[in-house]
Amino acid sequence: MDDQNKKNGFDDFFQNREDGQQKQEDNVQPVQADEASADSSEQASKPSYYYSYGPFKSGAPDNNVLTDGSGAGNQPISTPAQASSQEPAAASQPYSQQQGDQASFADSMPPAPVRPFSSSQSSARGGWQVKEPQRRTSFKAMFSSFIAGVLVVGSLMYAADVNNWFSKPAEATVSQQGTATATGQNSGLTAASDRPDDIAKLFETSSPAVVKIETFASPARSNGGSSADSFFEQFFGQDYPGAGSKEQNNNSNGLQATGSGTGFFFDASGYILTNQHVVGGAEKIEVTVQGYDKPLTAQLLGSDYNLDLAVLKVTDTKAFPTLKLGSSDSIKIGDWVAAIGNPYGFDHTITVGVLSAKERPISIPDEQGTRNYEHLLQTDASINPGNSGGPLLNVNGEVIGINTAVSSQAQGIGFAIPTSTIQGVLENLKNNVEVPKDPVPFIGAELADVTDAMAKQLGMDKAEGSIVSNVYYNSPAYLGDLKQFDVIIGIDGKVYNNTQDLIAAIKKRAVGDGVQLNIIRKGAKMDLTVTIGDRNKFNAEK
């Protein structure tokens, strides 16, 4: 339809008014006139169908608005750019008619949902999808890729294994352990190692070398009491192995069982190491070895009462399994240890714990004297009656000690003789040679603290020093003319107010040294010269 047919009187009015305003603006603002002229030329160049009525079209310009029927306000609707291929609707009617028609149309029907449109290349394919044929990968290419991947992964794994990419080198580990130890010493904290997970393998390899030891003695001798009775009663209570069952366990020779313990082979030819208190006073010793139907009779080769060590020997045609003696000096407090033994007759029992302490001294009196243990290892691995003489192992299966004692009044406090003590005397015990004893300095006198009552009777101003209650015949004190009721107040001019400090000072002297004893005799002070003697030699000469 021709746009000229739609003209009316209002168009000439608005046109003339616009021309007058344009002329006035030309004289005042030239710049704005140029802009208006550009707009007029653009208006003239636009086709008559540039404006559209009704709901939003995808090709409508950005400045189209929809208003409600009252014309209270306009709500701008922004649209995407017009596609070049889309043909817009004709709009040759005047603006007022367009506004009225548009408002009435907006009242009659709601706006249609906006359909997104884009002039980009990707949107051109939005409604039209061209299915392209998929290219198939050939088997040769897939196989080649697989082989290449295998070669790359294999090369990386080999390089990681050779260069230790994912594991720390041994030197670095040792260095870090040393650093951690130093740090722990400085801060007062130590890091415990992880609990070993190969205890089963440790037991499997070590258990065959561990034996059960049973001792027998005649009834008359047993009824009189074994020399180890008081030892076991103090550390194991009244129910130590053999207690209360001596008369019921008689063998064919009229001997009865006196006790049981543990030992282990340290030599394949049949040498067994155990505690002296396990075999002390026994007339017959039987050893039960794993894999043998009957117990083997053992011979006692050598023993030492003070060290509480003994070596037995059994004979057979084949070699026996053995345990290696390790170093007790290299193990650290907190390291894992394991004990294997026969507690209460339960053969080959293993218990696990840690090394609690080192260099522990304990003293255990019995009928033969007092055992003074030194340098013992302390562990919380369970040790019970029957474990005595058994091995205390490190995580490598090496013997670091011999389980010896445990306090019956506590839990988790066991003691073992370290291998540092054993290795120095092992050959002597094998060959039944007396083990050389370290010299023990002494003067040969029994001493006690001076009380206030004693000081008053002795005419002393105050209670000080140590009173001599007895002097052994032919002892260094006897030869130095020390007498009963003398009071020793010092050595070489140094005062010692109690007996404990005085004895400690004497033990620090070397055997053969001459000392001046400062004493008080019958209220008068005097000095005596005494030569320090060796207790071991003195006892041997008695």
Side-chain angles (χ1 to χ4, degrees):
M1 177 182 292
D2 191 0
D3 293 337
Q4 297 297 326
N5 297 330
K6 296 183 179 181
K7 290 184 178 181
N8 51 40
F10 293 101
D11 293 337
D12 296 335
F13 174 78
F14 286 109
Q15 182 68 30
N16 294 332
R17 186 174 183 179
E18 289 177 359
D19 292 341
Q21 290 179 353
Q22 183 174 1
K23 291 179 181 180
Q24 184 179 0
E25 290 174 357
D26 289 342
N27 297 327
V28 180
Q29 296 179 353
V31 178
Q32 295 181 359
D34 293 341
E35 293 177 354
S37 176
D39 293 339
S40 299
S41 62
E42 183 179 358
Q43 179 75 18
S45 62
K46 289 182 180 180
S48 60
Y49 50 81
Y50 181 78
Y51 297 99
S52 63
Y53 300 96
F56 174 76
K57 301 292 184 177
S58 60
D62 295 340
N63 59 350
N64 286 350
V65 294
L66 292 178
T67 61
D68 57 10
S70 63
N74 299 332
Q75 298 179 355
I77 302 178
S78 60
T79 62
Q82 179 180 2
S84 60
S85 60
Q86 183 175 0
E87 181 176 342
S92 59
Q93 297 179 359
Y95 176 77
S96 60
Q97 184 176 356
Q98 294 177 12
Q99 185 175 7
D101 295 343
Q102 186 175 1
S104 61
F105 187 86
D107 293 338
S108 61
M109 70 179 296
V114 179
R115 178 182 177 183
F117 181 83
S118 176
S119 61
S120 62
Q121 183 177 0
S122 60
S123 64
R125 300 174 54 188
W128 303 90
Q129 299 291 337
V130 179
K131 185 174 183 181
E132 298 180 356
Q134 298 181 354
R135 299 181 60 184
R136 296 184 179 179
T137 305
S138 64
F139 174 76
K140 183 177 180 180
M142 294 178 60
F143 183 76
S144 300
S145 301
F146 174 75
I147 294 300
V150 170
L151 292 176
V152 171
V153 174
S155 301
L156 291 175
M157 292 177 64
Y158 177 77
D161 184 45
V162 172
N163 298 323
N164 292 328
W165 289 352
F166 303 104
S167 62
K168 298 180 181 179
E171 297 179 357
T173 302
V174 173
S175 176
Q176 290 180 1
Q177 290 178 353
T179 305
T181 303
T183 305
Q185 292 176 354
N186 295 333
S187 62
L189 299 175
T190 57
S193 59
D194 294 338
R195 181 164 183 160
D197 56 357
D198 55 352
I199 297 298
K201 183 178 180 181
L202 175 68
F203 177 77
E204 181 180 356
T205 56
S206 304
S207 180
V210 180
V211 300
K212 179 181 179 180
I213 300 175
E214 296 178 294
T215 58
F216 302 87
S218 60
R221 189 169 183 175
S222 299
N223 291 337
S226 172
S227 60
D229 284 351
S230 59
F231 175 87
F232 278 105
E233 289 178 4
Q234 177 175 352
F235 272 81
F236 296 141
Q238 298 293 333
D239 54 349
Y240 65 90
S245 59
K246 298 177 182 178
E247 296 182 359
Q248 289 80 4
N249 297 320
N250 296 334
N251 62 9
S252 58
N253 296 329
L255 302 177
Q256 65 182 21
T258 58
S260 65
T262 309
F264 64 92
F265 288 106
F266 67 92
D267 191 305
S269 58
Y271 289 94
I272 300 172
L273 187 61
T274 187
N275 285 129
Q276 188 274 339
H277 73 258
V278 173
V279 297
E283 298 181 19
K284 183 180 180 180
I285 303 173
E286 290 184 352
V287 175
T288 302
V289 183
Q290 213 173 42
Y292 287 77
D293 297 334
K294 296 182 180 180
L296 303 178
T297 301
Q299 176 186 0
L300 177 62
L301 297 182
S303 63
D304 185 270
Y305 173 84
N306 295 315
L307 297 177
D308 197 12
L309 295 173
V311 171
L312 311 178
K313 179 69 166 63
V314 294
T315 304
D316 194 69
T317 56
K318 61 181 181 180
F320 295 96
T322 61
L323 291 177
K324 180 182 178 181
L325 296 180
S327 174
S328 59
D329 296 331
S330 61
I331 192 170
K332 300 177 182 179
I333 297 175
D335 286 349
W336 291 99
V337 294
I340 301 179
N342 307 289
Y344 291 103
F346 295 102
D347 298 353
H348 295 84
T349 299
I350 184 172
T351 55
V352 180
V354 298
L355 186 67
S356 304
K358 301 173 73 173
E359 300 293 331
R360 292 297 198 197
I362 61 174
S363 297
I364 304 175
D366 60 14
E367 294 180 355
Q368 297 184 15
T370 301
R371 300 178 192 264
N372 297 310
Y373 296 92
E374 295 180 350
H375 316 298
L376 295 182
L377 303 176
Q378 180 181 335
T379 178
D380 66 346
S382 297
I383 298 176
N384 295 289
N387 277 111
S388 293
L392 184 67
L393 307 170
N394 59 19
V395 293
N396 298 323
E398 299 174 340
V399 180
I400 60 169
I402 297 180
N403 303 318
T404 300
V406 61
S407 177
S408 61
Q409 300 178 354
Q411 294 181 355
I413 301 180
F415 300 96
I417 301 173
T419 53
S420 58
T421 301
I422 298 169
Q423 291 175 340
V425 300
L426 193 57
E427 291 298 323
N428 296 74
L429 297 175
K430 287 176 60 177
N431 300 318
N432 197 19
V433 177
E434 182 180 0
V435 177
K437 298 178 176 61
D438 295 333
V440 180
F442 90 126
I443 60 175
E446 296 179 2
L447 305 175
D449 292 337
V450 176
T451 63
D452 293 335
M454 292 179 182
K456 184 176 181 180
Q457 291 181 359
L458 295 173
M460 300 173 59
D461 297 335
K462 60 180 180 178
E464 61 177 347
S466 303
I467 188 171
V468 178
S469 59
N470 186 30
V471 177
Y472 296 111
Y473 175 75
N474 208 27
S475 66
Y478 178 86
L479 298 177
D481 197 29
L482 187 66
K483 296 182 179 180
Q484 190 179 28
F485 303 122
D486 287 346
V487 177
I488 303 175
I489 58 176
I491 298 177
D492 293 336
K494 185 175 181 180
V495 177
Y496 297 95
N497 294 322
N498 56 68
T499 304
Q500 184 177 1
D501 294 342
L502 179 63
I503 295 176
I506 294 173
K507 288 184 177 181
K508 292 180 180 179
R509 302 295 179 118
V511 174
D513 289 349
V515 297
Q516 291 288 331
L517 297 182
N518 311 124
I519 67 170
I520 297 176
R521 178 180 293 174
K522 297 180 180 180
K525 295 183 177 180
M526 58 185 303
D527 295 332
L528 297 177
T529 302
V530 176
T531 302
I532 302 296
D534 185 2
R535 182 189 294 274
N536 295 328
K537 292 183 177 180
F538 180 78
N539 292 335
E541 294 173 357
K542 289 173 61 177

